[in-house]
C-alpha cells in the first residue's frame, strides 16, 4: 500500500470530524430494505440493499435527490468473491451512519439550491453499477448478481415514501455510482410522475474507452467481463447494444447521445482514477516508472505529460454526445481529482474549483432550474489556479 494511501486512512477519522464540525451536516442512519429480499433484490452475498435518507423540509418536501454510491466493479466470479464480504458486497459490513456533504448537505450556506430537498444515498453492493440481473445463484459461491433489481426496489420503496408526488428529482452519484446515474438515467425518469422536472447529474462517472499506455485494451476487456458476469445487457441502451455490442455500451460515450432525460456531467478532464487505472494501470507499468506522475501531475516527465494531455484530448472527444444537446450540461475542470459533488471543499466553498467564475454547485443549480445553461470545458493543465488546493478524498475508490 502506498504511503499516501496509508496517510489518508490514518487521517480519515480526523477529517470526518473536522467536516462535521465545520459544516454541521450530521450523520444519517442506514435503512435496510428487508422486503427486497423476496424480490431477489440483494447484494452480492444475498443480504438486503440499504440506503440513507434525510427528509426534506419547507419548499423542498416534494423535491428529491437520489445519490448512488460508487466503489468500482467486479468482472468475474473471483473478483466478486473478493467483494462479497466487504461493504461493497454486503450490507452487513456497511457503516450504519453516513455523513451528508456537498450536494447532500442540509444547510443552505453549503448547498444553496438543494439543502432542503429529500436527500437519499443508495449504498453500492452489487459491483455492476446497478445494472446486473442474473436469476441463477451458483450454490458453490452463493453470489447474487442483482444490481438492476436493487435499483428498482429502492426507487419503488422511495416512491411509496413520497417520491410519487415529486415535483423535482435528480439522480446523481460518484464514480461507479456516477456511471450508474448515466446508465439508469432514463430508467429513473420512467418511475417519476410525468409532470416532474427530472434530471441526472453524474459525477466522475464518464469513463472513456481508450487503450492504456502499452496499447492494451485493458478497460474494454474489464467492462466486457462486468457486463457478461452480471447479465447487464438487458439494462443497457438497446440503440447502443445493437450498434456496438453490450460491452462497449458500459462506456458513456456510446450511450450519451441516446439519453432523453436532461443530464449534467461533472468530471475532471484529468480524472485521477482514470489516469491511474485506465491510462496507466499497474499491468502497463510493471516497473512503477509512472508512480511519481500518477501521484501528482506536476511530477510528470515531458513524455508522461504528453500522454496525460492526450488522455484529456480523448476525454473531450468522448463528450460529443453531451456537447451536441442544449438540454445537457457539463462542468469539465482540469483538476487532478476523482469525485467532486459529494465533497464540500469541491462542491461549494470560497476556494472550490471554478469554471467561468462559477462553482460546481452554482453551475448545477442554474442548469437544473433553467436559470442559465452551462457547458464549459476547462483549459489544459496546469492553467486553472482554483485547482491548486490539495484535497483529501476521504472516499475509497478501489483500483481494478
Amino acid at each position: 500500500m502506498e504511503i499516501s494511501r496509508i496517510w489518508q486512512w490514518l487521517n480519515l477519522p480526523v477529517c470526518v470530524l473536522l467536516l462535521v464540525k465545520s459544516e454541521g451536516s450530521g450523520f444519517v442512519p442506514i435503512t435496510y430494505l428487508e422486503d427486497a429480499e423476496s424480490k431477489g433484490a440483494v447484494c452480492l452475498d444475498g443480504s438486503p440493499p440499504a440506503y440513507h435518507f434525510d427528509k426534506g423540509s419547507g419548499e423542498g418536501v416534494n423535491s428529491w435527490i437520489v445519490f448512488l454510491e460508487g466503489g468500482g466493479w467486479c468482472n468475474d466470479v473471483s473478483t466478486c468473491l473478493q467483494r462479497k464480504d466487504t461493504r461493497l458486497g454486503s450490507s452487513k459490513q456497511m457503516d450504519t451512519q453516513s455523513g451528508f456533504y456537498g450536494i447532500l448537505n442540509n444547510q443552505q450556506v453549503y448547498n444553496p439550491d438543494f439543502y432542503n430537498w429529500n436527500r437519499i444515498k443508495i449504498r453500492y453492493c452489487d459491483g455492476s453499477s446497478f445494472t446486473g440481473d442474473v436469476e441463477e445463484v451458483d450454490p458453490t459461491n452463493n453470489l447474487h448478481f442483482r444490481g438492476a433489481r436493487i435499483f428498482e426496489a429502492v426507487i419503488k420503496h422511495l416512491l411509496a415514501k413520497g417520491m410519487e408526488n415529486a415535483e423535482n428529482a435528480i439522480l446523481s452519484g460518484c464514480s461507479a455510482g456516477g456511471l450508474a446515474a448515466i446508465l439508469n438515467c432514463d430508467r429513473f425518469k420512467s418511475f417519476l410522475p410525468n409532470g416532474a422536472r427530472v434530471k441526472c447529474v453524474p459525477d466522475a462517472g464518464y469513463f472513456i474507452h481508450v487503450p492504456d499506455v502499452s496499447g492494451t485494451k485493458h478497460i474494454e476487456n474489464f467492462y466486457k467481463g462486468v457486463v457478461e458476469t452480471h447479465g447487464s445487457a438487458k439494462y443497457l441502451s438497446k440503440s447502443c447494444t445493437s450498434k456496438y455490442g453490450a460491452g462497449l455500451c458500459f462506456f458513456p460515450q456510446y450511450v450519451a447521445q441516446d439519453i432523453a432525460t436532461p443530464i449534467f456531467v461533472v468530471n475532471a478532464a484529468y480524472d485521477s482514477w482514470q489516469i491511474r487505472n485506465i491510462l496507466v494501470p499497474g499491468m502497463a507499468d510493471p516497473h512503477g516508472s509512472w508512480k511519481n506522475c500518477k501521484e501528482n501531475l506536476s511530477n510528470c516527465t515531458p513524455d508522461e505529460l504528453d500522454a496525460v494531455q492526450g488522455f484529456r484530448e480523448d476525454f473531450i472527444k468522448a463528450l460529443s454526445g453531451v456537447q451536441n444537446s442544449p438540454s445537457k450540461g457539463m462542468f469539465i475542470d482540469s483538476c487532478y481529482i476523482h469525485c467532486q459533488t459529494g465533497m464540500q471543499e469541491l462542491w461549494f466553498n470560497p476556494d472550490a474549483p471554478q469554471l467561468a467564475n462559477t462553482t460546481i454547485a452554482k453551475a448545477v443549480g442554474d442548469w437544473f432550474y433553467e436559470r442559465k445553461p452551462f457547458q464549459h470545458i476547462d483549459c489544459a493543465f496546469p492553467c486553472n489556479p482554483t485547482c491548486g488546493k490539495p484535497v483529501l478524498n476521504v472516499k475509497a475508490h478501489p483500483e481494478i
Side-chain angles (χ1 to χ4, degrees):
M1 181 179 288
E2 299 176 358
I3 293 175
S4 61
R5 187 75 57 82
I6 296 173
W7 185 92
Q8 289 182 7
W9 281 108
L10 289 176
N11 285 276
L12 177 57
V14 176
C15 294
V16 171
L17 288 173
L18 288 174
L19 284 168
V20 172
K21 183 176 179 181
S22 63
E23 296 161 16
S25 185
F27 285 94
V28 179
I30 198 168
T31 297
Y32 301 98
L33 193 56
E34 303 285 358
D35 62 356
E37 292 182 273
S38 63
K39 305 178 182 69
V42 293
C43 300
L44 285 171
D45 71 334
S47 58
Y51 66 91
H52 303 260
F53 181 12
D54 198 12
K55 290 184 178 181
S57 62
E59 295 181 355
V61 294
N62 288 322
S63 297
W64 297 71
I65 290 179
V66 176
F67 190 93
L68 304 174
E69 184 182 34
W73 312 268
C74 55
N75 68 326
D76 54 27
V77 168
S78 176
T79 54
C80 290
L81 282 173
Q82 292 173 19
R83 296 168 69 99
K84 180 181 174 183
D85 295 321
T86 75
R87 65 175 180 83
L88 293 173
S90 172
S91 60
K92 299 175 184 177
Q93 306 300 324
M94 295 174 182
D95 293 336
T96 58
Q97 304 279 329
S98 179
F100 274 24
Y101 308 110
I103 196 172
L104 296 177
N105 201 303
N106 66 357
Q107 294 199 28
Q108 187 173 11
V109 66
Y110 296 116
N111 189 22
D113 283 308
F114 311 115
Y115 73 98
N116 61 352
W117 284 31
N118 296 283
R119 286 152 291 108
I120 298 95
K121 179 189 292 184
I122 301 180
R123 301 301 296 267
Y124 182 42
C125 63
D126 65 272
S128 72
S129 284
F130 298 92
T131 63
D133 190 0
V134 176
E135 181 65 35
E136 298 78 15
V137 178
D138 187 334
T140 60
N141 55 49
N142 199 37
L143 284 170
H144 300 71
F145 303 114
R146 306 283 179 74
R149 295 194 198 185
I150 290 174
F151 181 81
E152 181 170 345
V154 178
I155 295 302
K156 286 184 175 179
H157 177 77
L158 294 174
L159 289 170
K161 292 181 73 69
M163 198 165 69
E164 63 183 1
N165 300 314
E167 297 172 0
N168 299 293
I170 289 176
L171 179 66
S172 187
C174 153
S175 192
L179 176 59
I182 295 171
L183 299 179
N184 288 287
C185 184
D186 284 341
R187 190 172 174 222
F188 176 70
K189 182 176 173 57
S190 72
F191 287 110
L192 276 294
N194 289 332
R197 181 194 281 124
V198 182
K199 302 185 180 184
C200 301
V201 183
D203 175 14
Y206 211 92
F207 299 93
I208 66 170
H209 179 216
V210 292
D212 63 34
V213 291
S214 72
T216 302
K217 298 179 180 180
H218 171 65
I219 190 63
E220 177 182 327
N221 294 331
F222 184 88
Y223 275 175
K224 182 179 179 181
V226 173
V227 170
E228 291 179 350
T229 299
H230 292 267
S232 301
K234 69 186 78 170
Y235 288 101
L236 300 177
S237 164
K238 299 299 183 290
S239 174
C240 179
T241 56
S242 65
K243 295 176 188 174
Y244 304 110
L248 290 184
C249 296
F250 218 64
F251 289 100
Q253 67 201 77
Y254 299 115
V255 300
Q257 64 184 6
D258 297 324
I259 298 174
T261 306
I263 191 167
F264 190 106
V265 175
V266 177
N267 224 105
Y270 304 92
D271 186 295
S272 58
W273 190 94
Q274 293 197 54
I275 287 175
R276 292 167 180 164
N277 291 274
I278 295 180
L279 181 64
V280 197
M283 65 182 63
D285 183 34
H287 303 296
S289 60
W290 276 78
K291 181 176 182 294
N292 291 335
C293 178
K294 290 200 291 183
E295 288 181 353
N296 187 328
L297 296 188
S298 297
N299 297 331
C300 296
T301 67
D303 287 345
E304 290 169 343
L305 191 57
D306 282 346
V308 169
Q309 299 292 19
F311 177 88
R312 172 185 178 270
E313 292 173 5
D314 288 334
F315 189 90
I316 292 172
K317 291 177 184 176
L319 289 168
S320 61
V322 180
Q323 292 171 299
N324 298 329
S325 172
S327 71
K328 296 179 171 68
M330 68 177 81
F331 188 108
I332 311 298
D333 59 37
S334 290
C335 305
Y336 189 53
I337 194 71
H338 182 66
C339 289
Q340 301 178 82
T341 60
M343 296 182 67
Q344 200 59 55
E345 299 95 328
L346 302 173
W347 171 251
F348 188 71
N349 256 16
D351 54 357
Q354 295 187 23
L355 290 182
N357 297 315
T358 306
T359 62
I360 299 173
K362 183 69 163 59
V364 171
D366 284 348
W367 169 82
F368 181 84
Y369 284 111
E370 295 158 17
R371 298 187 295 245
K372 183 180 179 181
F374 197 96
Q375 280 201 1
H376 287 274
I377 298 174
D378 207 352
C379 47
F381 173 86
C383 70
N384 189 338
T386 68
C387 289
K389 179 183 176 183
V391 177
L392 173 63
N393 191 341
V394 299
K395 291 187 177 183
H397 301 286
E399 296 181 354
I400 58 173

